[in-house]
Amino acid sequence: MMAQNTAQKTNGMRRYETEKKAIGKNVFICPPMPVTIVGTCLNNRPPNFLTVGWVTRANVNPPMIAIGINKSNASADGITMHKTFSVNFPGTDLIEETDYCGLVSGKYKDKSRLFDIFYGELKNAPMIQNCPITLECQLTETIDLPTNYLFIGEIKGAYANENCFTGGKPDVTEINPLLLSMPDNSYWQVGEFLGRACKIGRSLKA
Ligand SMILES: Cc1cc2nc3c(=O)[nH]c(=O)nc-3n(C[C@H](O)[C@H](O)[C@H](O)COP(=O)(O)O)c2cc1C
């Protein structure tokens, strides 16, 4: 059933209390999320980078991150072979490079020339100097799904530009991460600050 458009605005924020309509199962509705560039080493090829939207922190201690990679991508072979990868968070200035890394395969093109590359502790996890935050990861588990691998990696090292921190904490306005929304496949930047997580909801506890 179609939702009636009676959403009301409260405190400038929309609340959705109306009926919902079924929208099928293959739901790609993602509000803007950070888009990343995952670095790998391929067999006898330059360091490779692919664009990845499907990325999430997966464990607190030890810190782990999960990425969903299509099996047909060259990077899937690189991660399986070397058991390492990097996750780089580009700023909005890298919008074109980020998109390009998602359009062409390292099987045919050398994407390594787009970036200044550095390494941390792990030999085969190339990281991008031009990104404000980078992580090097050791593969701990691969979940073999029908079309994708869900690679889970332990974060072995994290690197950031000093000016991306305020009061010792990452400052999202300084990092200015490139965001992605689906299924409209659009890039965005961070908007307005609305409130502190784990704090603003406390008023409803009373
Ligand atoms: C914005 C964007 C997000 C993407 N997200 C993913 C993703 O989460 N997982 C994935 O496997 N491919 C994703 N892709 C597609 C790969 O980046 C693309 O197939 C890439 O060319 C593969 O490169 P490779 O063959 O060198 O590994 C994305 C592409 C774009 C443009």
Side-chain angles (χ1 to χ4, degrees):
M1 235 196 281
M2 291 293 290
Q4 292 156 9
N5 190 14
T6 55
Q8 63 187 84
K9 281 198 164 190
T10 309
N11 290 338
M13 284 178 262
R14 218 173 257 280
R15 286 184 178 271
Y16 295 95
E17 289 157 353
T18 54
E19 284 180 59
K20 303 281 185 272
K21 67 169 184 174
I23 57 169
K25 287 191 296 185
N26 203 0
V27 181
F28 276 89
I29 294 182
C30 299
M33 55 187 174
V35 63
T36 64
I37 305 174
V38 167
T40 59
C41 285
L42 307 178
N43 205 10
N44 299 322
R45 301 274 302 153
N48 191 46
F49 297 95
L50 94 156
T51 308
V52 172
W54 291 2
V55 58
T56 180
R57 268 295 292 263
N59 195 59
V60 176
N61 194 12
M64 289 180 177
I65 197 161
I67 53 174
I69 304 290
N70 194 289
K71 292 178 179 179
S72 63
N73 290 333
S75 303
D77 298 336
I79 297 172
T80 304
M81 183 184 307
H82 296 291
K83 313 228 173 303
T84 53
F85 60 91
S86 72
V87 181
N88 305 269
F89 292 82
T92 53
D93 58 317
L94 289 185
I95 183 169
E96 282 165 345
E97 291 84 347
T98 304
D99 201 51
Y100 177 77
C101 287
L103 292 173
V104 302
S105 175
K107 286 177 206 164
Y108 314 109
K109 294 274 182 192
D110 175 3
K111 296 184 250 182
S112 68
R113 289 160 194 244
L114 293 168
F115 308 113
D116 299 322
I117 296 169
F118 74 104
Y119 290 85
E121 229 182 86
L122 305 174
K123 244 175 65 186
N124 292 302
M127 287 179 281
I128 301 175
Q129 200 75 259
N130 320 72
C131 288
I133 298 196
T134 66
L135 312 174
E136 53 175 340
C137 307
Q138 179 85 54
L139 184 68
T140 57
E141 201 176 326
T142 300
I143 299 174
D144 189 348
L145 300 169
T147 58
N148 285 45
Y149 292 118
L150 187 68
F151 292 118
I152 302 178
E154 182 177 339
I155 301 169
K156 291 289 190 182
Y159 307 86
N161 289 81
E162 219 168 310
N163 61 359
C164 291
F165 287 78
T166 302
K169 289 187 179 163
D171 184 333
V172 78
T173 55
E174 292 296 336
I175 296 166
N176 200 14
L178 183 60
L179 308 178
L180 167 72
S181 64
M182 289 178 178
D184 55 329
N185 285 348
S186 304
Y187 296 110
W188 304 86
Q189 63 183 350
V190 171
E192 247 178 276
F193 169 82
L194 292 180
R196 293 245 169 260
C198 304
K199 202 167 179 187
I200 193 163
R202 285 182 200 168
S203 59
L204 295 181
K205 274 185 163 182

